[in-house]
Coordinates of all heavy atoms in Angstrom, one line a residue:
V671 N -15.4 10.4 1.0 CA -16.6 10.7 1.7 C -16.4 10.4 3.2 O -15.9 9.3 3.6 CB -17.8 9.7 1.2 CG1 -19.0 9.9 2.0 CG2 -18.0 9.8 -0.3
L674 N -21.5 10.8 8.0 CA -22.8 11.4 7.8 C -23.0 12.5 8.9 O -22.7 12.4 10.1 CB -23.9 10.4 8.0 CG -25.4 10.7 8.0 CD1 -25.7 11.2 6.6 CD2 -26.3 9.6 8.3
R675 N -23.4 13.7 8.4 CA -23.6 14.9 9.3 C -25.0 14.9 9.9 O -25.9 14.2 9.4 CB -23.4 16.2 8.5 CG -22.1 16.2 7.7 CD -21.7 17.5 7.2 NE -22.7 18.3 6.6 CZ -22.5 19.3 5.7 NH1 -21.2 19.6 5.4 NH2 -23.5 20.0 5.1
G678 N -27.9 15.3 7.4 CA -28.3 14.3 6.3 C -27.3 14.3 5.1 O -27.4 13.4 4.4
Y679 N -26.4 15.1 5.1 CA -25.4 15.1 4.2 C -24.0 14.5 4.7 O -23.8 14.5 5.9 CB -25.0 16.5 3.6 CG -26.1 17.2 2.8 CD1 -27.1 17.9 3.3 CD2 -26.1 17.0 1.4 CE1 -28.1 18.4 2.6 CE2 -27.1 17.5 0.6 CZ -28.1 18.2 1.2 OH -29.1 18.8 0.5
H680 N -23.2 14.0 3.8 CA -21.9 13.6 4.2 C -20.8 14.6 4.0 O -21.0 15.3 3.0 CB -21.6 12.3 3.4 CG -22.4 11.1 3.8 ND1 -23.7 11.0 3.3 CD2 -22.1 10.0 4.5 CE1 -24.2 9.9 3.8 NE2 -23.3 9.2 4.5
E681 N -20.0 14.8 4.9 CA -18.7 15.7 4.6 C -17.9 15.0 3.5 O -17.6 13.9 3.5 CB -18.0 15.7 5.9 CG -17.0 16.8 6.0 CD -17.7 18.2 6.1 OE1 -18.8 18.3 6.5 OE2 -17.0 19.2 5.8
V682 N -17.6 15.8 2.5 CA -16.8 15.2 1.4 C -15.6 16.1 1.1 O -15.5 17.3 1.4 CB -17.6 15.1 0.1 CG1 -18.8 14.2 0.3 CG2 -18.0 16.5 -0.5
L722 N -35.1 20.6 -11.3 CA -34.1 21.7 -10.7 C -34.1 22.9 -11.6 O -33.7 24.0 -11.1 CB -32.7 21.1 -10.6 CG -32.3 20.3 -9.4 CD1 -30.9 19.8 -9.4 CD2 -32.5 21.3 -8.2
S758 N -27.9 19.0 -11.8 CA -27.2 20.2 -11.2 C -26.8 21.1 -12.3 O -26.7 22.3 -12.2 CB -26.0 19.7 -10.3 OG -26.5 18.9 -9.3
A786 N -25.6 27.1 -4.3 CA -25.5 26.1 -3.2 C -26.8 25.7 -2.6 O -27.0 24.6 -2.1 CB -24.6 26.7 -2.1
L788 N -29.4 25.1 -4.3 CA -30.1 24.1 -5.2 C -29.6 22.8 -5.2 O -30.2 21.8 -5.5 CB -30.0 24.7 -6.6 CG -30.9 26.0 -6.8 CD1 -30.4 26.7 -8.1 CD2 -32.3 25.7 -6.9
G789 N -28.3 22.6 -4.7 CA -27.7 21.3 -4.7 C -26.2 21.3 -4.5 O -25.6 22.4 -4.8
S790 N -25.6 20.3 -3.9 CA -24.2 20.3 -3.6 C -23.3 20.5 -4.7 O -22.2 21.2 -4.6 CB -23.9 19.0 -2.9 OG -24.8 18.7 -1.9
D791 N -23.7 20.0 -5.9 CA -22.8 20.2 -7.1 C -23.0 21.4 -8.0 O -22.3 21.7 -8.9 CB -23.0 18.9 -8.0 CG -22.6 17.7 -7.4 OD1 -21.8 17.6 -6.4 OD2 -23.1 16.6 -7.9
V792 N -24.1 22.1 -7.7 CA -24.5 23.3 -8.5 C -23.4 24.4 -8.6 O -23.1 24.9 -9.7 CB -25.9 23.8 -8.2 CG1 -26.3 24.9 -9.2 CG2 -26.9 22.7 -8.2
G805 N -17.0 20.6 2.4 CA -18.3 20.7 3.0 C -19.1 19.5 2.5 O -18.7 18.4 2.4
R806 N -20.3 19.8 1.9 CA -21.1 18.7 1.3 C -20.8 18.7 -0.2 O -21.5 18.1 -1.0 CB -22.6 18.9 1.6 CG -23.2 20.2 1.1 CD -24.7 20.3 1.5 NE -25.1 21.6 1.4 CZ -25.7 22.2 0.2 NH1 -25.8 21.4 -0.8 NH2 -26.1 23.4 0.2
G807 N -19.8 19.5 -0.6 CA -19.4 19.7 -2.1 C -19.6 21.0 -2.6 O -19.1 21.4 -3.7
T833 N -28.8 9.1 -5.9 CA -27.6 9.5 -5.1 C -27.8 9.2 -3.6 O -26.9 8.6 -3.0 CB -27.3 11.1 -5.3 OG1 -27.1 11.2 -6.7 CG2 -26.1 11.5 -4.5
P834 N -29.0 9.5 -3.0 CA -29.1 9.2 -1.6 C -29.0 7.7 -1.4 O -28.4 7.3 -0.3 CB -30.5 9.7 -1.3 CG -30.9 10.7 -2.3 CD -30.1 10.4 -3.5
D835 N -29.5 6.8 -2.2 CA -29.4 5.4 -2.1 C -28.0 4.9 -2.0 O -27.6 4.1 -1.3 CB -30.1 4.6 -3.3 CG -31.6 4.8 -3.2 OD1 -32.2 5.3 -2.1 OD2 -32.3 4.2 -4.1
Y837 N -25.3 6.8 -1.2 CA -24.7 7.2 0.1 C -25.1 6.3 1.2 O -24.3 5.9 2.1 CB -25.0 8.7 0.4 CG -24.1 9.7 -0.2 CD1 -24.5 10.4 -1.4 CD2 -22.8 10.0 0.3 CE1 -23.5 11.3 -1.9 CE2 -22.0 11.0 -0.2 CZ -22.3 11.6 -1.4 OH -21.5 12.5 -1.9
R838 N -26.4 6.0 1.2 CA -26.9 5.1 2.3 C -26.3 3.7 2.2 O -25.9 3.1 3.2 CB -28.5 4.9 2.1 CG -29.3 5.7 3.2 CD -30.7 5.2 3.2 NE -31.4 5.2 1.9 CZ -32.0 6.4 1.4 NH1 -31.9 7.5 2.1 NH2 -32.5 6.4 0.3
D841 N -22.9 3.9 3.8 CA -23.0 3.9 5.2 C -23.3 2.4 5.7 O -22.7 2.0 6.7 CB -24.2 4.7 5.7 CG -23.9 6.2 5.5 OD1 -22.8 6.6 5.4 OD2 -24.9 7.0 5.4
Ligands
C5P1684 O1 -27.1 18.1 -2.7 P1 -27.9 17.2 -3.5 O2 -29.4 17.6 -3.4 O3 -27.5 17.0 -4.8 O4 -27.9 15.8 -2.7 C1 -28.7 14.8 -3.0 C2 -28.6 13.8 -1.8 O5 -27.4 13.1 -1.8 C3 -28.7 14.3 -0.4 O6 -30.1 14.5 0.0 C4 -28.0 13.3 0.4 O7 -28.8 12.2 0.6 C5 -26.9 12.9 -0.5 N1 -25.6 13.6 -0.3 C6 -24.9 13.3 0.8 N2 -23.7 14.0 1.0 C7 -23.3 14.9 0.2 C8 -24.0 15.2 -1.0 C9 -25.2 14.6 -1.2 O8 -25.3 12.4 1.6 N3 -22.1 15.6 0.3

Side-chain angles (χ1 to χ4, degrees):
V671 180
L674 179 62
R675 310 189 315 197
Y679 288 90
H680 293 74
E681 196 67 20
V682 301
L722 271 182
S758 302
L788 293 162
S790 308
D791 296 337
V792 184
R806 59 184 167 90
T833 304
D835 286 356
Y837 273 100
R838 253 194 307 276
D841 291 338

